[in-house]
């Protein structure tokens, strides 16, 4: 991770109830793209590392015979379990509260390992090497994230766009100008360069896929608040006794932009990198 910062268990403290509502979903077609790319047939085992509230694991439930979601946050694990029960898939999904650095944790071997915008929080060299050992020969490590390079205009949609710059300025007025992360700060953000890390660990590839987004979405003031509270940089506990004041100020800011309390947004595209563990010679 970034120099001078250490993970602690408050990184996503209290964020789990807001995650599913606040975060924009992955692009429709992600599961179909993965199924085609890896020739998935409803068998095999998936480990979703940094699973959060089960967003990816549950969307892939029909593609595997067994799924294990791993996350260090107890709230995320509880939320994942609740959502699995709602989806009726508790019989094939297991949730494990653990850091990725604690793997393999006796979980066995897997066909596929997924990381949905989680790898940057980990000791990446250690985790990459460990997960490679947990994969079967020719198993796949799949890195999934929103496509960061696209512009998503809402000019032709019925409501104003979410004023993200103003919202981030408001967060900064309450929490300070340097990005918060658990008990520490990340003045330089989280690291990139996943390709270098995974190549160094001995994975081959990657193959890149882009699942197109662009679908029109409607968001409310409550959705935007949930987005803020789902972020590691603005989890509920960071506001302390000023949380109520922040929420009131956020509501005022949003209503100034959209008196109806409704915003338009476009679904992000999803970027997928598939890396393979080489087969045994």
């Amino acid at each position: 991770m970034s120099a001078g910062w250490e993970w602690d268990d408050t990184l996503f403290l209290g964020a789990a109830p807001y995650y599913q509502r606040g975060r924009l979903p992955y692009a429709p077609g992600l599961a179909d793209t993965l199924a085609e790319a890896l020739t998935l047939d409803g068998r095999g085992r998936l480990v979703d590392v940094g699973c959060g509230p089960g967003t990816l694991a549950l969307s892939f439930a029909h593609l595997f015979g067994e799924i294990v979601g791993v996350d260090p946050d107890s709230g995320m694990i509880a939320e994942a379990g609740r959502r699995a029960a709602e989806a009726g898939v508790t019989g094939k999904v297991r949730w494990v509260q653990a850091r990725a650095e604690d793997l393999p944790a006796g979980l066995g071997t897997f066909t596929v390992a997924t990381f949905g915008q989680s790898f940057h929080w980990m000791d990446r060299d250690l985790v990459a090497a460990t997960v490679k050992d947990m994969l079967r020969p020719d198993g796949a490590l799949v890195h999934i994230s929103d496509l960061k390079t696209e512009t998503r205009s809402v000019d032709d949609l019925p409501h104003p766009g979410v004023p993200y710059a103003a919202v981030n300025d408001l967060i900064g007025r309450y929490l300070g100008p340097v990005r918060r992360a658990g008990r520490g700060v990340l003045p330089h953000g989280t690291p990139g360069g996943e390709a270098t890390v995974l190549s160094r660990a001995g994975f081959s590839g990657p193959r890149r896929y882009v699942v197109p987004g662009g679908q029109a979405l409607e968001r409310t003031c409550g959705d935007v608040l949930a987005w803020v509270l789902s972020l590691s940089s603005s989890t509920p506990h960071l506001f302390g006794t000023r949380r109520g004041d922040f929420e009131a100020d956020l509501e005022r800011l949003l209503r100034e932009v959209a008196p109806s309390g409704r915003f338009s947004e476009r679904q992000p595209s999803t970027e997928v990198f598939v890396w393979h563990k080489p087969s045994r010679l």
Side-chain angles (χ1 to χ4, degrees), residues 27-167:
L30 173 58
D32 290 342
T33 297
L34 192 66
E36 183 175 354
L38 298 178
T39 318
L40 301 174
D41 58 4
R43 296 178 291 180
R45 301 183 76 222
L46 168 70
V47 59
D48 185 24
V49 187
C51 66
T55 304
L56 284 179
L58 294 175
S59 68
F60 297 154
H62 62 294
L63 301 178
F64 295 91
E66 183 182 357
I67 292 175
V68 178
V70 178
D71 199 279
D73 186 85
S74 60
M76 293 292 188
I77 291 294
E79 183 69 9
R82 183 189 68 77
R83 294 185 62 235
E86 286 183 351
V89 295
T90 53
K92 68 187 304 184
V93 182
R94 174 186 175 193
W95 308 106
V96 176
Q97 183 182 349
R99 292 189 66 195
E101 290 82 356
D102 296 332
L103 294 173
L107 299 178
T109 58
F110 294 87
T111 314
V112 178
T114 49
F115 292 79
Q117 304 186 117
S118 60
F119 194 44
H120 55 275
W121 292 120
M122 303 168 187
D123 181 335
R124 297 181 302 165
D125 283 293
L126 171 62
V127 171
T130 302
V131 168
K132 180 168 169 279
D133 288 342
M134 294 172 68
L135 289 172
R136 296 171 184 170
D138 203 35
L141 184 153
V142 183
H143 187 273
I144 300 169
S145 67
D146 293 339
L147 181 62
K148 303 297 193 294
T149 56
E150 66 182 351
T151 300
R152 305 193 305 273
S153 173
V154 300
D155 290 346
D156 58 342
L157 298 182
H159 306 293
V162 177
Y164 284 113
V167 172

Side-chain angles (χ1 to χ4, degrees), residues 50 75 201 203 226:
F203 286 96

